């Protein structure tokens, strides 16, 4: 039997220099993607950080070490600019990469944005028996990935526990 979605415990991380700078400036932060993921997944933990390799790596390890979660969903930092580092950090951490996620995400994205999907380096993998997804920062990309995440996370967890 697959572990049901209601049993999956999620953490959400938004990676964004501009939103983090707004936060530091004391302004209200408009994090549509992070808010959407947090609400849709009923995430137990949520945070916002800048595009910083060391901070992201440390935060992932901190969440895994100190919080009872099964899955971390990251939005942002998956593009091709010099500051987009999320997939690079995850590549260093992943014990196993879930290449099928990338394929399915790009297939679904192609139907929505055409060839522009090549600009995304969305990825997923396993680290310390946790599933980590990295999605683009756009709300539409998060919505596109949600079907995959909701349908397959419990299935993946079942295989991790075997």
């Amino acid at each position: 039997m697959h572990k049901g979605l209601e049993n999956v415990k999620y953490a959400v991380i938004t990676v964004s220099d501009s939103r983090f700078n707004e936060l530091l400036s004391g302004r209200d932060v408009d994090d549509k993607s992070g808010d959407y993921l947090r609400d849709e997944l009923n995430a137990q933990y949520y945070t916002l950080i800048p595009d910083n390799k060391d901070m992201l790596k440390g935060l992932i390890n901190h969440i895994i070490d100190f919080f009872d979660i099964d899955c971390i969903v990251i939005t942002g930092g998956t593009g091709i600019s010099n500051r987009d580092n999320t997939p690079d950090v995850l590549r260093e951490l992943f014990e196993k990469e879930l290449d099928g996620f990338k394929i399915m995400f790009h297939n679904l994205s192609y139907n929505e944005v055409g060839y522009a999907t090549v600009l995304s380096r969305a990825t997923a993998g396993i680290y310390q028996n946790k599933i980590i997804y990295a999605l683009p920062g756009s709300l539409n990309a998060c919505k596109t990935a949600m079907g995959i995440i909701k349908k397959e996370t419990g299935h993946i967890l079942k295989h991790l526990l075997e």
Side-chain angles (χ1 to χ4, degrees), residues 32-41 139 142-143 146:
K32 289 182 178 134
S33 298
D35 291 342
Y36 170 79
L37 292 170
R38 180 175 33 183
D39 293 343
E40 255 330 279
L41 298 170
L139 178 58
C142 291
K143 288 179 178 180
M146 188 55 59

Side-chain angles (χ1 to χ4, degrees), residues 107-125:
N107 184 41
L108 294 170
S109 293
Y110 175 77
N111 293 329
E112 296 173 8
V113 299
Y115 293 122
T117 190
V118 302
L119 295 171
S120 166
R121 298 185 302 141
T123 190

Side-chain angles (χ1 to χ4, degrees), residues 12-28:
V12 171
I13 301 170
T14 295
V15 176
S16 172
D17 284 336
S18 60
R19 288 183 187 95
F20 188 76
N21 290 341
E22 287 175 17
L23 182 69
L24 289 180
S25 298
R27 293 191 293 259
D28 289 332

